[in-house]
Amino acid sequence: MHETERLAVTRSFCAPIAVLIATVLTLPVLAQSAPKLIPAPRELHTTTLLPFTSATIVFDAPASPQTTIPSAEDLFTAQDLTQALSADGVHVAPCTGAHCLSIALYTSDSPQAKHLLSENNLAITPAMHDEGYVLITHAPDPGDPREARTAFLIADTPIGRFYAAQTLKQLVEQTPAGTSLWTAIIRDWPAMKYRGVDDDLSRGPFPTLAFQKHQIQVFAAYKVNLYSPYFEHTLQYAADPLAAPPGSSLTRAESQELAAFAAQYHITIVPEQEAFGHLHHILQYEKYSGLAETPHGHVLAPGEPGTQPLIYSWFSQIAQDFPSPFLHVGADETFELGTGRTKTDVDKRGLGPVYADFLTQIHTTLSPLHRKLLFWGDVATSSPSAIAHLPKDMIAVPWIYWHLDNYDPNIIPFKDAGIETWVAPGDANWSEVYPVGKLALDNIQGFVEAGQRLGSTGELLTVWNDDGEGLFNQDWFGVLFGAAAGWQPGPAPIAPYEHAFARLFFGDTSGKIEQAQQELILTEDNISPEDEAFWVDPWSPAGQRIAAKLRPKLHDGRLHAEHALELIQQARAANPNLKESAALDAMELGARRLDLTAMKFQLSDEMTQAYTRAYALAHPSTGKPSELDLTNIREFLYSLSSNNGRCQDLRDAYSSLKTLYTQSWLAENRPYWLGNVQVRYDLQIEMWTKRGQTINDLINTWQDKKVMPTPAEAGLPPAPPQP
């Protein structure tokens, strides 16, 4: 560490404690009328931007020599701010005494804070106590150049000051005059107490510990306070080591390290271990065969004596490794219940009571751990009669991942039963080559608003990897809107968020990444982002059905995808130091996969049309092709397979994307499971290589014998209708 970058804490009874020292330039610069902030603060008054080159962080003067100030939490906030300012090019230097900006972290009951709040007619209300803050930044007074200029971060708690610091980071912008700071007065506090992200770690990609730490840092920067990793079989248990796959599971040491890391950022890890359904990867082992509803199935069988000891074994370790007040037991989509061991009981008593009894037993089994249990709330629609029989001190998490005109019926049954709720919208990323941004933002906005209005205390934005291909670096656009929606009161406005996302997350001031995101949304209006469309053979019956639906919009869709690629490349060329380069790579990958989806169907149509025309020319009514016909036949056939043939185009495209996909995968995930995705690219490469070889053989046969099979005999689908 450079000597001027060290945190040098000097105790003084009469003066603040200097941590970093800085000088501020006082010339205002012209810019936009207000800063872009995520989440948007409740109260925001801004004036202008001030360029500055360095910064200092100071704390309250201690109330007495025995008082320990600053706290460990505030020192961490100072360190976090230091790192962010350094990344923005802010220079650390000794204070010159004139125009010196200090960033002051004040407790709300300190004399300095009370004076500032009174002077500005501001107050810290009870609603602001836990996480709220006041942030004040002043422009220098031209009449008194010696007066120090300070950004004041005032809150009742260290968490509030930490969140004030996250907002302060976003008030720093890059302008033609250099790094600049908005002058502002902000009062802010969250609408929902719990704001989290549920991340699927059980169906393919499993992040590195380093990437999980990066996720936590980004979550915290946008005021997320919960991280819920989803486990079916990918958490290693000392008492049950069989199911966790080597290379794709979290060790106890990693769990403890991650929990401690997150705590610094005021994020609570709420581990979710499925304890009812979604357990196939465990129940496939013979050791657990006596506990399954059906042989090697998905659901634990209520009533089997070994189920509760197994559940307690899991969660007692989880409780030791993750010091959270919550445990998530899953209990969703128990579709097999009543089809095997419990069929007689379900036939006699009904599905709802059997479900409720088992969930109640889990609650009783885990009660010695003194944690509040979360469970997925799809029971509200699948077995609403079960709700009345559930323990009232659990938290129901109803989930809806699509647009509804009215989300209330998914929440009200629990509310009426006196059960606390968190709402769980979705990022619309599963089984998609790129998350469906428009759907995700609509779902998040509507469901979170309903939750706030009906008294839900939390939000858990979900990211799923059902297809085993999901890249979290493609999910940030939806995930951070979830952060905004949970913090902001009422329906979170979408347009301001879209305008702010690229500048804050990527550090892009050109507007091109924002445009690229919009181009991808337009792409998905024209080209199906579903995995099926990307992987399907366009010559197959399923491929032909998809082609018929997509064909009218393929041209426009490709133009949007390719414009997104150009915009990303232009933004990178204009600023090689954009943030989150791996996420930008993943965004570019999404655009290329969407473009290839459309190109595949276009080239398939071109191949069938070319071969159909070649076949017609090879069998003229006169009985013998002309010399011109022979030339055209050759060119038509070469358009299918040659150095520039369509088969080779598709082979090369899938090969290129395999490389790019692999790079994006390894930027965030452990190698385990990657081969299961790479082989899908390999199969595409092999298929188009073989088809190219088949066409080459057909061309040679035609040249030698002037014999050509029909399009159907050659394996091609019927030619599409001509426009």
Side-chain angles (χ1 to χ4, degrees):
M1 180 181 291
H2 206 276
E3 186 61 33
T4 55
E5 297 174 342
R6 294 185 180 276
L7 294 181
V9 180
T10 305
R11 180 178 291 278
S12 169
F13 179 78
C14 300
I17 301 172
V19 177
L20 295 174
I21 302 180
T23 305
V24 171
L25 305 179
T26 58
L27 178 65
V29 296
L30 297 176
Q32 60 199 29
S33 59
K36 295 180 172 69
L37 301 174
I38 300 173
R42 295 205 185 216
E43 299 176 15
L44 169 65
H45 306 280
T46 59
T47 53
T48 189
L49 276 162
L50 297 172
F52 72 104
T53 58
S54 51
T56 183
I57 301 175
V58 301
F59 300 92
D60 287 324
S64 70
Q66 289 74 38
T67 303
T68 301
I69 291 184
S71 67
E73 292 96 330
D74 284 338
L75 280 174
F76 182 82
T77 295
Q79 177 184 340
D80 183 62
L81 262 177
T82 300
Q83 293 171 347
L85 292 170
S86 298
D88 283 328
V90 176
H91 181 62
V92 179
C95 182
T96 62
H99 310 307
C100 178
L101 173 69
S102 62
I103 302 167
L105 277 66
Y106 285 169
T107 59
S108 57
D109 60 354
S110 70
Q112 301 98 317
K114 289 179 178 179
H115 173 74
L116 283 164
L117 294 173
S118 175
E119 184 179 51
N120 289 278
N121 296 315
L122 300 171
I124 304 280
T125 62
M128 300 171 66
H129 173 74
D130 291 343
E131 298 177 296
Y133 62 89
V134 169
L135 173 58
I136 304 170
T137 59
H138 286 308
D141 183 356
D144 187 3
R146 294 170 299 174
E147 182 182 346
R149 307 302 181 229
T150 308
F152 300 101
L153 284 59
I154 305 170
D156 285 351
T157 66
I159 300 176
R161 291 186 287 279
F162 178 80
Y163 287 147
Q166 306 317 303
T167 300
L168 182 65
K169 292 179 190 177
Q170 296 185 13
L171 292 176
V172 176
E173 294 194 5
Q174 301 300 321
T175 71
T179 304
S180 301
L181 174 72
W182 280 97
T183 57
I185 297 178
I186 295 173
R187 286 179 77 243
D188 197 16
W189 64 97
M192 305 185 87
K193 184 174 182 178
Y194 305 111
R195 307 166 304 279
V197 178
D198 185 283
D199 189 10
D200 181 359
L201 305 188
S202 290
R203 283 175 276 197
F206 197 96
T208 63
L209 188 62
F211 186 74
Q212 285 184 291
K213 290 180 177 180
H214 178 64
Q215 287 177 297
I216 285 167
Q217 290 173 315
V218 177
F219 295 157
Y222 295 90
K223 304 181 177 66
V224 168
N225 62 1
L226 295 175
Y227 170 51
S228 184
Y230 170 86
F231 302 110
E232 294 176 2
H233 65 304
T234 52
L235 192 58
Q236 294 186 21
Y237 294 112
D240 295 283
L242 182 61
S248 184
S249 51
L250 208 62
T251 69
R252 294 199 70 179
E254 289 173 327
S255 297
Q256 294 164 8
E257 181 179 345
L258 191 64
F261 183 85
Q264 299 176 98
Y265 291 88
H266 304 288
I267 286 181
T268 299
I269 295 183
V270 182
E272 178 187 352
Q273 169 61 63
E274 284 285 359
F276 198 164
H278 286 292
L279 289 172
H280 172 69
H281 292 294
I282 290 174
L283 298 178
Q284 66 178 324
Y285 287 95
E286 283 303 300
K287 175 182 176 180
Y288 306 105
S289 59
L291 306 181
E293 174 73 14
T294 60
H296 309 121
H298 302 264
V299 176
L300 284 175
E304 293 303 317
T307 57
Q308 296 301 325
L310 179 64
I311 291 169
Y312 184 78
S313 174
W314 291 343
F315 282 93
S316 59
Q317 178 179 310
I318 289 174
Q320 294 173 24
D321 294 345
F322 297 100
S324 161
F326 307 106
L327 295 172
H328 197 325
V329 299
D332 60 315
E333 297 184 328
T334 54
F335 300 130
E336 290 179 352
L337 189 63
T339 65
R341 295 176 188 270
T342 61
K343 185 178 189 308
T344 300
D345 195 21
V346 168
D347 289 345
K348 179 180 178 181
R349 297 197 295 135
L351 192 65
V354 175
Y355 175 93
D357 283 355
F358 190 62
L359 197 53
T360 301
Q361 291 169 21
I362 294 173
H363 176 271
T364 301
T365 295
L366 300 183
S367 60
L369 301 178
H370 304 292
R371 307 297 173 89
K372 201 158 190 176
L373 302 186
L374 282 70
F375 68 97
W376 293 115
D378 45 315
V379 65
T381 53
S382 62
S383 301
S385 62
I387 295 175
H389 303 284
L390 295 174
K392 297 297 186 287
D393 62 343
M394 299 178 76
I395 300 175
V397 188
W399 54 269
I400 296 294
Y401 304 146
W402 50 89
H403 171 83
L404 290 179
D405 292 333
N406 183 8
Y407 293 89
D408 295 10
N410 299 279
I411 305 169
I412 289 175
F414 299 107
K415 178 182 175 69
D416 290 347
I419 297 175
E420 183 179 355
T421 58
W422 297 358
V423 293
D427 183 47
N429 71 302
W430 46 94
S431 300
E432 312 284 352
V433 300
Y434 194 75
V436 187
K438 183 184 294 185
L439 174 60
L441 268 57
D442 173 82
N443 171 237
I444 294 166
Q445 180 192 60
F447 200 11
V448 175
E449 183 279 330
Q452 291 186 16
R453 178 168 38 79
L454 294 173
S456 298
T457 57
E459 172 218 10
L460 204 56
L461 189 280
T462 58
V463 174
W464 298 111
N465 295 316
D466 300 48
D467 58 358
E469 299 179 20
L471 297 169
F472 196 94
N473 268 328
Q474 293 183 335
D475 295 322
W476 290 110
F477 182 66
V479 165
L480 297 188
F481 185 66
W487 180 278
Q488 298 169 200
I494 290 175
Y497 170 79
E498 291 178 316
H499 293 322
F501 171 75
R503 193 200 74 77
L504 294 175
F505 184 68
F506 291 113
D508 177 47
T509 59
S510 71
K512 292 185 182 297
I513 303 300
E514 178 186 345
Q515 287 180 266
Q517 182 66 53
Q518 293 305 311
E519 287 295 320
L520 286 173
I521 289 174
L522 292 171
T523 301
E524 293 175 331
D525 287 341
N526 291 276
I527 301 172
S528 171
E530 296 179 359
D531 287 348
E532 182 185 17
F534 181 75
W535 294 117
V536 73
D537 177 3
W539 292 6
S540 70
Q544 288 294 289
R545 288 192 296 271
I546 294 173
K549 295 178 182 179
L550 299 183
R551 192 172 284 121
K553 296 184 177 181
L554 294 176
H555 170 74
D556 290 344
R558 290 196 68 190
L559 290 179
H560 287 300
E562 291 164 10
H563 191 202
L565 288 169
E566 291 176 331
L567 289 164
I568 293 170
Q569 292 164 357
Q570 290 166 5
R572 285 183 135 156
N575 181 4
N577 297 315
L578 289 173
K579 298 185 293 185
E580 300 291 346
S581 61
L584 204 52
D585 289 342
M587 185 180 183
E588 180 177 337
L589 173 66
R592 292 188 183 278
R593 292 183 82 190
L594 288 167
D595 189 53
L596 174 54
T597 298
M599 184 178 79
K600 173 179 67 178
F601 290 111
Q602 286 181 324
L603 298 193
S604 174
D605 284 351
E606 291 170 8
M607 284 189 276
T608 56
Q609 289 167 345
Y611 192 87
T612 300
R613 294 177 69 182
Y615 184 81
L617 290 174
H619 300 82
S621 57
T622 59
K624 186 177 181 180
S626 67
E627 288 299 320
L628 179 59
D629 290 341
L630 292 173
T631 299
N632 287 331
I633 290 170
R634 182 183 67 246
E635 293 306 311
F636 283 139
L637 294 178
Y638 281 156
S639 74
L640 275 69
S641 180
S642 65
N643 288 339
N644 296 308
R646 306 298 191 268
C647 289
Q648 286 72 26
D649 289 342
L650 292 173
R651 175 202 67 190
D652 297 347
Y654 277 101
S655 179
S656 174
L657 284 184
K658 176 187 175 183
T659 299
L660 295 177
Y661 181 89
T662 299
Q663 292 169 351
S664 283
W665 176 287
L666 294 175
E668 60 180 78
N669 295 310
R670 308 179 194 210
Y672 181 90
W673 188 273
L674 174 58
N676 289 339
V677 186
Q678 289 174 320
V679 72
R680 303 192 76 176
Y681 284 98
D682 292 337
L683 290 171
Q684 294 290 325
I685 296 166
E686 180 183 19
M687 180 178 72
W688 291 110
T689 299
K690 286 183 175 180
R691 283 179 174 169
Q693 292 171 343
T694 299
I695 298 297
N696 288 339
D697 292 341
L698 185 152
I699 293 172
N700 291 334
T701 300
W702 164 253
Q703 291 175 337
D704 292 343
K705 301 179 180 179
K706 295 298 182 285
V707 174
M708 184 184 300
T710 66
E713 291 170 339
L716 279 83
Q722 294 298 309

